[in-house]
Amino acid sequence: MLELAILGLLQEAPMHGYELRKELATKLGTIRAAISYGTLYPTLKRLHSAGWISEQAPETDIVPPMTSKRGRIVYKITAEGKERFADLLAQAGPETYDDAGFGVHFTFFSRTDRATRLRILEGRRRRIEERREGLRDVLARAGDRLDAYTLELQRHGLDACEREVRWLEELITNERSGRAPSVATGGTPDSAAEPVVEAPPEEPAPHQDRP
Amino acid sequence: MLELAILGLLQEAPMHGYELRKELATKLGTIRAAISYGTLYPTLKRLHSAGWISEQAPETDIVPPMTSKRGRIVYKITAEGKERFADLLAQAGPETYDDAGFGVHFTFFSRTDRATRLRILEGRRRRIEERREGLRDVLARAGDRLDAYTLELQRHGLDACEREVRWLEELITNERSGRAPSVATGGTPDSAAEPVVEAPPEEPAPHQDRP
DNA sequence: TCTGCCATGTAAGCCGTTACATGATTTT
DNA sequence: AAAATCATGTAACGGCTTACATGGCAGA
């Protein structure tokens, strides 16, 4: 997952490790806390030796004006890296649907085609529906032998599941009708999905870098 | 966290590993998927050699009727284990407030006193509020350079945070006024916390096993 | 008979963190 | 001059999963 995230960010712009970490934190802040350097730097090394990214060694010499900033290593994605990114993004293993995996994939949705997006959204929905059914079962079958706190926790969890399923459903509907991923938020009532019109046939060029 | 959960479950009834795992799955289903045996059994061994739990060896001999079920090892919590449990449950490290830690603590809330419950609920709230502020910052400061999908993910995350804060607030209010942890769910409007009256001065005997 | 659940365990490995080590640059 | 933040790394360790190994018991 880290690999996918790094490749995705480097596709937007070359960066050095420290910068990457901050970007990771803001873009994936919903998903997970900031990655530690103890993971980040070795991973960058690994991606480099695999050929997915290139290291641009410290900017010594050239430009005496002294904006040199010391030895920062700027990483840039390679052509092979772009291929790798596309593979990872499109692949649908079970981890694609867990919280972290789904989050990262979703973050880079604008770099995939609609079919992939739908596949992932539906896989995620199935996953959450399973979790939801599990909770419903527990509440129905063992609900009375659970104490008030445990019960409340389960109810809250169930609520979150139902909410996420509804969210996914809206996103799926939007994808199918070629709309942008805007979802009615905030004070709007649950009842019906209001027609959200924003960006018309927007299909943001699925980034095929290879011929 | 696993340790706390095991100790908590064994306080309700003696159990063998397999059973424990299922209980863990239903009680903590909201929090995390089922624990693997590769973690569970070694942990039980560890808790045993630490003296928190006792192993009741396979029920060989006695009762020829053959309901023996083979060598199941039944674990029972010891007096020291109960002390340990109380310590773990009441302690408030940073991991007490992350998703997993909070979930486990909350599950065993009925075994603590109100002061501890309030401390933990408030700590959790602070944690989520921080996350929420982080997301708001991102949306306010960098919202426009984020693509539609990333944006939607952040919005969804922010929504979840706001919801959880409200949930915690209700629970805190209930604790302070000595009510049961019931929270208005489902179709009820957000606006005001309706007076939820259920169990009056219920204070479920904070389980002090030691004099 | 064979599938599936009950039941316990070990070994290898993955993914990540914390703590440590180092040093430059910027801000106060 | 000190403190904060930028910047890169290594080593040790922790928690958990997977895969493997083993075997009893129940029902289709």
Side-chain angles (χ1 to χ4, degrees), chain B residues 7-66:
Chain B
L7 257 19
L9 286 185
L10 289 183
Q11 198 133 348
E12 283 163 19
M15 261 177 271
H16 56 268
Y18 196 88
E19 228 175 325
L20 209 40
R21 185 184 186 245
K22 279 200 301 184
E23 274 299 295
L24 235 44
T26 67
K27 275 225 159 185
L28 303 175
T30 352
I31 312 306
R32 41 170 292 98
I35 191 81
S36 67
Y37 297 121
T39 308
L40 180 59
Y41 287 114
T43 302
L44 285 170
K45 283 282 154 68
R46 186 171 63 78
L47 295 185
H48 177 240
S49 62
W52 316 131
I53 63 180
S54 70
E55 287 183 358
Q56 184 165 306
E59 315 135 14
T60 39
D61 54 52
I62 296 183
V63 202
M66 274 324 184

Side-chain angles (χ1 to χ4, degrees), chain B residues 35-200:
Chain B
I35 191 81
S36 67
Y37 297 121
T39 308
L40 180 59
Y41 287 114
T43 302
L44 285 170
K45 283 282 154 68
R46 186 171 63 78
L47 295 185
H48 177 240
S49 62
W52 316 131
I53 63 180
S54 70
E55 287 183 358
Q56 184 165 306
E59 315 135 14
T60 39
D61 54 52
I62 296 183
V63 202
M66 274 324 184
T67 331
S68 60
K69 296 266 185 186
R70 196 186 60 121
R72 306 185 301 184
I73 303 173
V74 176
Y75 295 95
K76 190 178 290 188
I77 194 164
T78 63
E80 296 80 32
K82 287 180 188 178
E83 253 183 90
R84 172 70 175 160
F85 173 76
D87 286 354
L88 288 174
L89 188 53
Q91 104 180 175
E95 75 241 17
T96 308
Y97 307 124
D98 67 26
D99 298 278
F102 172 73
V104 176
H105 278 80
F106 191 87
T107 298
F108 296 111
F109 256 20
S110 62
R111 294 192 178 271
T112 348
D113 55 295
R114 186 180 300 164
T116 301
R117 292 199 292 263
L118 275 168
R119 181 159 45 73
I120 293 174
L121 287 170
E122 280 161 0
R124 173 67 174 177
R125 184 185 50 181
R126 198 163 311 123
R127 177 69 66 89
I128 304 294
E129 280 170 348
E130 276 160 24
R131 197 188 291 174
R132 184 190 62 185
E133 293 317 310
L135 287 173
R136 281 185 182 160
D137 274 19
V138 168
L139 284 169
R141 290 209 312 254
D144 43 322
R145 72 172 180 81
L146 262 38
D147 66 286
Y149 291 106
T150 309
L151 209 68
E152 183 52 40
L153 187 63
Q154 308 272 332
R155 274 208 292 257
H156 183 242
L158 178 57
D159 196 57
C161 285
E162 286 168 346
R163 225 159 253 297
E164 180 157 359
V165 168
R166 263 179 270 141
W167 181 68
L168 290 165
E169 227 115 61
E170 276 204 70
L171 290 168
I172 289 168
T173 306
N174 286 351
E175 286 296 338
R176 283 208 232 270
S177 58
R179 271 190 245 109
S182 47
V183 162
T185 41
T188 47
D190 292 326
S191 50
E194 300 176 61
V196 178
V197 185
E198 224 148 67

